[in-house]
Amino acid sequence: MTLTNKTIIITGSSRGVGAETAALLAGEGANVVVNYRSKAPRANKVVTGIEEAGGKAIAVGADVTQAEDAQALVDTAIENFGGLDYLILNASGGMESGMPEDYAMTLNRDSQLRLARLAAEKMNPGGRIVFVTSHQAHFIREVPTMAEYTPVAESKRAGEDALLAEVPALAEKDISLVVVSADMIEGTVTAALLNRLHPGAIEARREEAGKLYTVAEFAAEVAKMVTADVETGHVELVGGAGGFIK
């Protein structure tokens, strides 16, 4: 129970990697804020699962692209649990239909940086911000990806760069930043969509990489990086980066 009395916000945690990470960290004793944009029943189910296992969690609806929602997310965490220690920036997107042309950049760069800054203002010393990304985004300037994913990849890399540039300001508050990146994740909505658009894409990546992580496996790696003994600004390339690094 290494995280007893520590409070963690996990954005986009009503399903997938975020939900699995929430359950793992709650199992370590953390107070977990399960953030969702619109699917309250799904988020409440995650909270129920955590509570039934003896953990502590609340579900908080907040669209992180909206400044007032981002502030309310931070404030609600502190009001319920008395403080804030960690922030996992897991929410991402940009392939949704019906969104403005600049939505990917708004969500994956601008909103990530704003929420990081809002959280840092209230976070306890010794805290950490973890940014979750993909190899397809981290290496987008060196290795091209599928056209449909390129705007997402470029915006997530821009978000990563913006957060890394924030490291000195975070250090003044005794807050560290870690980036966690992985290849395509088996069982995620994004991977399934890309595989539908490009049949065989997952199999091809699996063959080139040697292994693709499952949702549960990647969540375990994200959870580890919350308290990992690494320098601020560290980029964790989960599973290596076969096909991206020559």
Side-chain angles (χ1 to χ4, degrees):
M1 305 293 282
T2 56
L3 292 171
T4 299
N5 296 324
K6 302 294 186 180
T7 298
I8 303 175
I9 294 173
I10 309 175
T11 63
S13 51
S14 66
R15 67 178 179 187
V17 172
E20 291 281 349
T21 304
L24 288 169
L25 293 171
E28 295 272 342
N31 308 313
V32 179
V33 178
V34 176
N35 163 244
Y36 66 95
R37 187 181 68 179
S38 60
K39 299 292 195 294
R42 201 163 60 190
N44 289 331
K45 185 176 180 180
V46 175
V47 170
T48 298
I50 288 172
E51 291 177 337
E52 288 177 348
K56 297 179 182 178
I58 57 168
V60 179
D63 180 347
V64 297
T65 67
Q66 303 300 312
E68 60 273 20
D69 279 20
Q71 184 66 67
L73 176 60
V74 173
D75 292 344
T76 301
I78 295 169
E79 287 165 8
N80 278 268
F81 295 121
L84 178 61
D85 300 280
Y86 303 103
L87 168 65
I88 301 179
L89 295 168
N90 172 73
S92 67
M95 296 180 66
E96 301 88 339
S97 59
M99 293 297 188
E101 187 177 345
D102 61 349
Y103 179 70
M105 198 65 77
T106 298
L107 173 59
N108 298 324
R109 182 193 63 190
D110 303 343
S111 300
Q112 308 297 321
L113 181 59
R114 177 172 58 209
L115 182 53
R117 286 173 170 170
L118 289 172
E121 287 300 317
K122 303 289 183 71
M123 197 176 284
N124 293 323
R128 173 168 288 175
I129 297 170
V130 178
F131 179 66
V132 181
T133 188
S134 68
H135 292 357
Q136 286 76 12
H138 180 72
F139 291 104
I140 188 60
R141 292 170 190 150
E142 294 85 22
V143 181
T145 189
M146 287 170 271
E148 295 86 354
Y149 191 69
T150 296
V152 178
E154 291 177 342
S155 61
K156 285 189 71 65
R157 180 63 217 221
E160 179 182 335
D161 290 344
L163 288 164
L164 288 171
E166 198 75 1
V167 163
L170 292 172
E172 290 181 2
K173 296 179 171 65
D174 192 20
I175 296 167
S176 59
L177 172 78
V178 173
V179 175
V180 187
S181 177
D183 209 316
M184 293 177 74
I185 303 297
E186 305 256 22
T188 61
V189 173
T190 299
L193 176 58
L194 290 172
N195 200 58
R196 266 202 312 272
L197 294 169
H198 299 271
I202 290 178
E203 184 179 348
R205 277 305 310 148
R206 190 187 302 119
E207 183 175 342
E208 186 170 19
K211 169 187 170 60
L212 294 181
Y213 278 58
T214 64
V215 168
E217 288 171 335
F218 183 48
E221 297 300 319
V222 173
K224 283 179 190 175
M225 297 315 297
V226 170
T227 55
D229 184 14
V230 294
E231 294 292 324
T232 186
H234 173 76
V235 178
E236 182 75 6
L237 299 176
V238 174
F244 293 94
I245 299 176
K246 299 265 188 294

